[in-house]
């Protein structure tokens, strides 16, 4: 999942950088073009329906692309494929206990086979805990009484 999350993140950074440069450039351009020396009297400008539709439609389209892209990543991440290896996980104060379906148990370290899909069934015994693997870009909060 890390590659997909990174691609979305870099897209968001690129869109933000593009619009930052565009808006700053337009501010500078309009401040020079419409300065007081060139236009001593204010002129009334009437709106353009086409222009307003464009500057409303383009951000709407970009936001919808971001929404669909992130929804696809979310649903892919939260629904493991059939045949995934199941690992039971219990969060306790200051530790994580993992149990594989074969009976192998681990505390505070999780070992999984490379290239195999894993489904973690997680809960907490005491308070809210966060399970985060930075290299995978995956974070999950576990709550007492919920799996």
């Amino acid at each position: 999942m890390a590659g997909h999350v990174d691609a979305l993140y870099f897209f968001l950074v690129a869109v933000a950088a593009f619009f930052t440069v565009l808006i700053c450039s337009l501010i500078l351009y309009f401040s020079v073009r419409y300065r007081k020396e060139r236009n001593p009297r204010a002129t009334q400008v009437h709106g353009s329906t086409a222009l307003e539709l464009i500057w409303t439609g383009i951000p709407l389209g970009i936001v919808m692309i971001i929404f669909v892209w992130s929804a696809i990543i979310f649903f892919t991440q939260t629904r493991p494929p059939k045949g995934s290896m199941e690992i039971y996980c219990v969060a306790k104060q200051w530790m994580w206990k993992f149990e594989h379906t074969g009976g192998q148990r681990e505390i505070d370290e999780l070992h999984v086979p490379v290239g195999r899909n894993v489904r973690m069934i997680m809960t907490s015994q005491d308070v809210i805990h966060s399970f985060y693997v930075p290299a995978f870009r995956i974070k999950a909060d576990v709550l007492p009484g919920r799996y």
Side-chain angles (χ1 to χ4, degrees), residues 50-94:
L51 181 62
E52 291 185 19
L53 287 174
I54 288 171
W55 77 37
T56 302
I58 290 173
L60 176 65
I62 293 170
V63 168
M64 291 309 296
I65 289 169
I66 293 168
F67 171 75
V68 169
W69 192 353
S70 60
I72 290 169
I73 291 173
F74 174 77
F75 287 120
T76 303
Q77 182 178 354
T78 57
R79 288 169 175 67
K82 296 206 186 289
S84 296
M85 179 178 154
E86 289 188 348
I87 297 175
Y88 294 91
C89 174
V90 177
K92 294 183 177 184
Q93 188 175 13
W94 312 114

Side-chain angles (χ1 to χ4, degrees), residues 31-120:
S31 64
V32 170
R33 180 168 179 194
Y34 296 107
R35 65 184 181 265
K36 189 174 183 180
E37 293 82 29
R38 289 186 67 187
N39 297 299
R41 289 185 46 97
T43 56
Q44 186 65 28
V45 178
H46 297 285
S48 167
T49 304
L51 181 62
E52 291 185 19
L53 287 174
I54 288 171
W55 77 37
T56 302
I58 290 173
L60 176 65
I62 293 170
V63 168
M64 291 309 296
I65 289 169
I66 293 168
F67 171 75
V68 169
W69 192 353
S70 60
I72 290 169
I73 291 173
F74 174 77
F75 287 120
T76 303
Q77 182 178 354
T78 57
R79 288 169 175 67
K82 296 206 186 289
S84 296
M85 179 178 154
E86 289 188 348
I87 297 175
Y88 294 91
C89 174
V90 177
K92 294 183 177 184
Q93 188 175 13
W94 312 114
M95 77 169 152
W96 291 87
K97 293 174 74 174
F98 304 102
E99 184 177 344
H100 298 258
T101 53
Q104 177 187 359
R105 294 180 183 193
E106 300 175 281
I107 295 177
D108 288 335
E109 285 189 13
L110 177 62
H111 298 89
V112 296
V114 175
R116 179 127 187 239
N117 295 316
V118 175
R119 176 177 181 239
M120 295 186 63

Side-chain angles (χ1 to χ4, degrees), residues 96 122 124 128-132 139-143 146-147:
W96 291 87
M122 302 187 293
S124 171
I128 299 173
H129 293 273
S130 290
F131 184 83
Y132 180 56
K139 178 184 175 291
D141 292 327
V142 292
L143 302 163
R146 289 191 182 176
Y147 286 94

